[in-house]
Amino acid sequence: AIFPEARFIHIVRDGRAVANSYINVKYWRGWGGVYKWRWGVPENSYMEILNKYNHSFLALAAIEWKTLVNNITSEGELLSNDRFITIKYEDMVKNPVKVANDCIDFIGLDKSCKNFKKHLNTVKIFDANNNTFRIQAWKDSLSDNQINMLNDILNNELEYFSYN
């Protein structure tokens, strides 16, 4: 309402990758448990999921992603298509030039600047620790049971964002 002409670009990443990332960093607030993280006590349906999975930190990490993307998606649906788009992080990693150009077109900026084009062609999105693209590193980090748990918890969102 404050910025009626603002445009919003939602960059979404596979929730399984995000949950895996959360449980691999010390600064994630979920380590304090559901009563100490920054998002307040989850709604009953999310508490049931946590109970189902014995209050697993990975389940809590999945619920955090689920909460965030559902909130962003529902708020985005209140806006017209010319004000809100969602792009997938994985698409941005695979083809940063195309996705950047799509975003520039969406927000209505001039992309004819030679310096912009030159810079855009040098952009690479990768893991700074080992210079690799880490789109699906979670598959190597998580057990089959953990992946099945995440697929169960995040099923609706993974389907909505076309993650297989």
Side-chain angles (χ1 to χ4, degrees), residues 20 24 134 136-143 146:
N20 182 59
N24 282 291
R134 295 185 46 83
Q136 295 186 342
W138 57 272
K139 288 183 177 183
D140 297 329
S141 299
L142 300 172
S143 70
Q146 289 173 313

Side-chain angles (χ1 to χ4, degrees), residues 29-141:
R29 291 205 171 168
W31 292 123
V34 72
Y35 297 103
K36 293 186 179 179
W37 72 339
R38 70 173 73 176
W39 307 107
V41 177
E43 60 187 62
N44 287 339
S45 63
Y46 291 168
M47 289 301 292
E48 289 172 12
I49 292 169
L50 284 173
N51 289 334
K52 177 179 178 180
Y53 291 108
N54 299 315
H55 288 261
S56 156
F57 287 116
L58 184 60
L60 183 59
I63 288 170
E64 181 172 335
W65 179 83
K66 182 179 186 83
T67 300
L68 293 173
V69 298
N70 285 333
N71 286 337
I72 292 167
T73 300
S74 65
E75 291 298 316
E77 288 173 353
L78 300 174
L79 300 170
S80 61
N81 289 341
D82 66 333
R83 294 193 57 215
F84 182 86
I85 62 167
T86 298
I87 62 169
K88 291 169 69 170
Y89 169 82
E90 294 79 5
D91 293 340
M92 187 174 64
V93 169
K94 289 177 186 173
N95 196 343
V97 172
K98 180 192 179 309
V99 172
N101 281 317
D102 291 347
C103 291
I104 296 299
D105 288 341
F106 173 73
I107 59 177
L109 292 179
D110 178 15
K111 62 183 176 190
S112 64
C113 173
K114 288 181 184 180
N115 286 337
F116 172 76
K117 287 180 182 180
K118 182 179 177 182
H119 175 71
L120 188 55
N121 287 323
T122 68
V123 172
K124 299 286 184 230
I125 302 169
F126 59 88
D127 182 331
N129 293 327
N130 60 12
N131 291 334
T132 61
F133 295 100
R134 295 185 46 83
I135 294 175
Q136 295 186 342
W138 57 272
K139 288 183 177 183
D140 297 329
S141 299

